[in-house]
Amino acid sequence: MADELVEVYGYGPVALHVPRQAQLACYAPGPGGYVPHRDSADESLWDTGLLGWLRSAAYRKRALTCILYLNAPDWGGVGEQHGGQLRAYLGAAPGDPNGTTATSVRDIDPQGGRLLLFDSKVLLHEVLPSRRERFALTVWLAGGDLAAAAVAAC
């Protein structure tokens, strides 16, 4: 996959490391979801304090988010009947916490077998409430700054 990022999408040479753990999640239907967030952060020691900074070491190293949806393939469809979409705020400014600066917004159904890959540091996203149990397997590949690598490759 790292080779494809370089050859097809123009990312420069970035060493990606596969973690020893993954998140396998079952989300119950209901009003909850996930608020807008990024899967990685560049917060400094001064912003979080020493304990918070040490606890977030793996979080800060996330480079690429990989989500595999394990739901039925018929999820979504007309009227987005089951909810649970990942809402991506494309082009949101780095300091934007809620998507107001996004150039476009895209909702992605969590259809079974769908694999999403995105830059953990860049993509602001949230998960909308679901009306059906939703299953997802998530892995965060650790490594360098993908956005900087893409710029360097140009």
Side-chain angles (χ1 to χ4, degrees):
M1 179 168 42
D3 289 338
E4 186 173 335
L5 285 171
V6 172
E7 293 171 18
V8 177
Y9 299 103
Y11 285 105
V14 175
L16 295 175
H17 306 282
V18 178
R20 293 182 183 194
Q21 59 187 5
Q23 174 182 291
L24 177 59
C26 172
Y27 300 93
Y34 272 107
V35 298
H37 66 282
R38 290 175 177 83
D39 287 346
S40 183
D42 291 326
E43 294 160 337
S44 72
L45 171 65
W46 309 114
D47 293 333
T48 62
L50 179 59
L51 187 55
W53 189 80
L54 290 172
R55 285 182 177 164
S56 66
Y59 177 72
R60 289 191 320 273
K61 292 179 184 176
R62 291 176 180 175
L64 186 69
T65 297
C66 310
I67 303 172
L68 176 62
Y69 291 114
L70 305 173
N71 306 305
D74 65 347
W75 193 285
V78 178
E80 301 160 352
Q81 60 191 1
H82 303 302
Q85 292 86 2
L86 183 138
R87 176 166 287 167
Y89 295 95
L90 304 173
D96 180 357
N98 55 21
T100 57
T101 63
T103 56
S104 66
V105 177
R106 180 160 181 211
D107 290 347
I108 302 163
D109 283 330
Q111 292 174 325
R114 176 169 283 162
L115 176 65
L116 297 182
L117 302 173
F118 57 86
D119 191 320
S120 302
K121 295 180 187 302
V122 174
L123 185 68
L124 180 69
H125 62 284
E126 67 177 298
V127 178
L128 303 178
S130 180
R131 293 178 286 285
R132 180 175 167 185
E133 274 190 328
R134 188 172 64 82
F135 301 91
L137 176 66
T138 305
V139 173
W140 293 277
L141 301 183
D145 185 341
L146 293 178
V151 171
C154 294

